[in-house]
Amino acid sequence: MYKFSYFLFILILHIFMVNSSASIQLPNETAVERFIRYVQVDTQSDPDSESVPSTEGQLKLGKMLAEELRELGLQDIEIDEFGIVMATLPSNLPEDHPARNKVPVIGLLAHMDTSPEVSGANVNPVIHRNYQGGNIVLPGDETQVIRVEENPALELAIGSDIITSDGTTLLGADDKAGIAAIMTALQTLVRNPDQYTHGDIRVSFTIDEEIGTGIGYFDIERFGADAAYTIDGSTMGEISNETFNAKTAIVRVTGRDIHPGYAKNIMINSIRIIADFIDRLPPDISPEQTEGREGYMHPNLLSGTTYQSEVRMLLRDFETDGMEKKENFVRSIVDELRLKYPGAEIELEIRESYRNMRYWLDDDPHVTEYAKEAIRRTGLEPNLKPIRGGTDGARLTERGLPTPNLFTGGENFHSRQEWLSVKGLEKSVETILHLVTVWVEKSIQ
Ligand SMILES: [Zn+2]
């Protein structure tokens, strides 16, 4: 009943707004309200899809966002053939302002898709008001518990609201928190022109970040920013100017198949050879046993029959020589196995995924410095944190657009225990507002 009357109210409000004059200003929407709306659009990406974007839901959210950008009064709004949304918030600096022709064009980016690892359909966001500490049991599946000992960021959220899913899906803070933060910052800039001065701002909502393919379709020239930020990080105060170097090693073994009853001295079981390969990987150089700046080797996909088996393995390291060592280690195991199993065919393929963006960001240290200054102005201490993974920013930076990553307040990405600190989200909005101002100030110093 409550819900029905609420919908009726919205309906009447809607009819009222449609029929009244266009000059009526739309109500301000908070970052939380936006976030709650965005997570209800299922945008889970699909690594097995042939289409771009990989799923329809991303197009649906993209259209919704483009419409909202239009309502906010942004310009050059477009959705390209791949579903990537771009728009401009033109500079509000007066003609005679000394920064008018000096301030670089700043880009703000967030990705629309969610991880393929956990369902993003029918997300039912739950707001836990005024969190006072302790574990959080998710109401839709009580086996899903957000534990204090696994979540140091919970302590920072005491006194704040926390948003989770009901425990049956992921939440989608990665990266709808980033979208909500950007949209809310834009709304604030548009409606308070006297309070914030800024140069031209370019905005983009991107596709298929989680499957690593979307950014390949991103037109950097068309975007036209001089520096950019992905709003796709985690704990409040964090900024990242480093990602892993990332490669994938694929080991494929072809053995010899024959009826097991007559297999003596003939069969070569590829499954046993693959098992031997995995057995030689040092268990302590794994994601389960590393943290901070340590790299790892991580077999994450295995398939096989007696005749043919394959293992895929992530190689991650922050340093080039560390990555080389890992590659050489894999090559040496494969060489040993070729000697041990001469009848089998053992192939090794190593593919590069992305490289540590620090190599390029070190050439433009001010891009990171200005973000640190913006975070400081929100009252937080900036925390430079290497990302134990990749971001779209890694590929953009390598292609010439310096793009560090800023926090959103979200935690436990890609899991049913994903959660968002509302305080963190609000600080993310504030950081963006300060950031565009910092760029104006610094451009005339
Ligand atoms: Zn993300």
Side-chain angles (χ1 to χ4, degrees):
M1 187 58 206
Y2 164 76
K3 268 195 172 162
F4 177 71
S5 50
Y6 176 73
F7 281 125
L8 200 64
F9 170 72
I10 294 291
L11 185 71
I12 291 166
L13 188 74
H14 190 73
I15 293 167
F16 171 73
M17 284 183 349
V18 167
N19 288 338
S20 51
S21 93
S23 67
I24 282 189
Q25 184 151 73
L26 295 160
N28 277 318
E29 193 175 21
T30 65
V32 169
E33 287 163 343
R34 288 183 186 283
F35 176 73
I36 297 285
R37 280 196 299 111
Y38 301 154
V39 298
Q40 293 179 46
V41 184
D42 175 10
T43 58
Q44 185 176 28
S45 49
D46 176 5
D48 299 321
S49 163
E50 302 273 298
S51 57
V52 184
S54 67
T55 49
E56 278 289 310
Q58 298 181 62
L59 288 176
K60 186 176 164 197
L61 181 60
K63 279 180 195 144
M64 211 168 115
L65 296 171
E67 188 49 41
E68 290 175 25
L69 290 165
R70 203 163 286 123
E71 283 168 11
L72 284 175
L74 269 76
Q75 297 181 5
D76 315 323
I77 299 156
E78 56 182 340
I79 305 179
D80 70 14
E81 58 189 307
F82 308 113
I84 298 170
V85 181
M86 287 190 188
T88 308
L89 179 63
S91 170
N92 67 353
L93 292 166
E95 284 297 338
D96 57 352
H97 193 285
R100 175 79 198 192
N101 296 315
K102 285 189 178 163
V103 59
V105 178
I106 299 307
L108 300 171
L109 299 118
H111 64 88
M112 295 186 283
D113 63 314
T114 62
S115 169
E117 288 169 52
V118 183
S119 171
N122 305 313
V123 172
N124 180 20
V126 180
I127 303 183
H128 307 259
R129 303 266 177 214
N130 191 16
Y131 172 68
Q132 290 300 312
N135 295 346
I136 301 174
V137 180
L138 300 181
D141 177 354
E142 293 186 352
T143 67
Q144 296 294 314
V145 182
I146 301 172
R147 293 180 196 283
V148 173
E149 63 266 28
E150 293 167 2
N151 290 269
L154 276 176
E155 186 154 346
L156 300 172
I158 288 177
S160 164
D161 292 352
I162 283 177
I163 307 177
T164 66
S165 75
D166 63 9
T168 61
T169 64
L170 51 63
L171 174 63
D174 178 10
D175 185 21
K176 285 159 182 165
I179 300 175
I182 291 173
M183 279 294 201
T184 312
L186 291 173
Q187 172 182 270
T188 311
L189 292 172
V190 167
R191 304 220 172 135
N192 304 275
D194 301 333
Q195 214 175 328
Y196 303 97
T197 50
H198 57 84
D200 287 339
I201 298 171
R202 287 285 278 159
V203 179
S204 183
F205 300 120
T206 56
I207 55 160
D208 290 330
E209 192 265 357
E210 300 293 359
I211 55 174
T213 55
I215 205 66
Y217 300 97
F218 187 85
D219 188 340
I220 287 191
E221 298 286 308
R222 195 171 182 82
F223 192 51
D226 299 304
Y229 300 88
T230 47
I231 316 297
D232 189 20
S234 197
T235 309
M236 57 180 181
E238 281 177 4
I239 166 166
S240 302
N241 65 343
E242 276 203 76
T243 54
F244 271 136
N245 292 296
K247 293 190 179 184
T248 303
I250 302 160
V251 178
R252 197 173 299 113
V253 179
T254 308
R256 190 169 169 199
D257 205 1
I258 185 171
H259 189 289
Y262 313 97
K264 189 165 183 185
N265 295 329
I266 301 172
M267 179 186 281
I268 300 169
N269 187 347
S270 75
I271 293 176
R272 289 191 182 273
I273 300 173
I274 284 279
D276 195 346
F277 173 84
I278 295 168
D279 201 39
R280 291 168 193 242
L281 298 172
D284 53 330
I285 308 181
S286 61
E288 309 93 291
Q289 295 198 37
T290 51
E291 62 184 353
R293 298 188 58 83
E294 299 165 328
Y296 58 72
M297 295 185 276
H298 175 45
N300 69 339
L301 193 72
L302 180 66
S303 62
T305 60
T306 305
Y307 175 63
Q308 203 164 50
S309 302
E310 185 178 295
V311 63
R312 279 171 190 249
M313 184 165 65
L314 307 182
L315 306 179
R316 298 289 186 266
D317 204 285
F318 284 102
E319 305 303 335
T320 314
D321 57 347
M323 176 57 85
E324 239 167 63
K325 275 186 199 150
K326 290 184 172 59
E327 279 184 66
N328 289 337
F329 181 77
V330 174
R331 284 182 215 287
S332 70
I333 306 180
V334 168
D335 286 344
E336 285 167 26
L337 294 176
R338 281 175 180 148
L339 284 176
K340 186 172 171 185
Y341 305 99
E345 192 186 330
I346 308 177
E347 297 162 79
L348 169 65
E349 184 190 345
I350 296 180
R351 294 180 191 161
E352 180 163 278
S353 304
Y354 54 86
R355 293 174 67 191
N356 188 342
M357 61 182 171
R358 190 195 68 214
Y359 300 136
W360 296 274
L361 284 177
D362 278 353
D363 295 337
D364 296 297
H366 63 288
V367 179
T368 306
E369 282 309 313
Y370 294 178
K372 281 162 85 175
E373 175 60 23
I375 292 170
R376 243 175 248 122
R377 290 186 188 186
T378 71
L380 297 170
E381 194 49 47
N383 176 13
L384 208 56
K385 193 169 182 189
I387 305 171
R388 291 180 63 78
T391 65
D392 280 348
R395 297 269 298 276
L396 293 175
T397 302
E398 187 175 354
R399 282 162 60 195
L401 176 62
T403 310
N405 187 39
L406 303 177
F407 70 94
T408 61
E411 306 282 341
N412 286 350
F413 292 165
H414 306 189
S415 82
R416 294 193 281 164
Q417 293 164 23
E418 191 181 11
W419 60 277
L420 176 68
S421 155
V422 169
K423 184 178 170 194
L425 177 63
E426 287 165 352
K427 288 287 180 190
S428 168
V429 177
E430 268 184 67
T431 299
I432 297 170
L433 295 173
H434 287 299
L435 184 59
V436 295
T437 313
V438 170
W439 274 91
V440 171
E441 285 174 21
K442 301 283 185 185
S443 71
I444 48 177
Q445 275 173 11

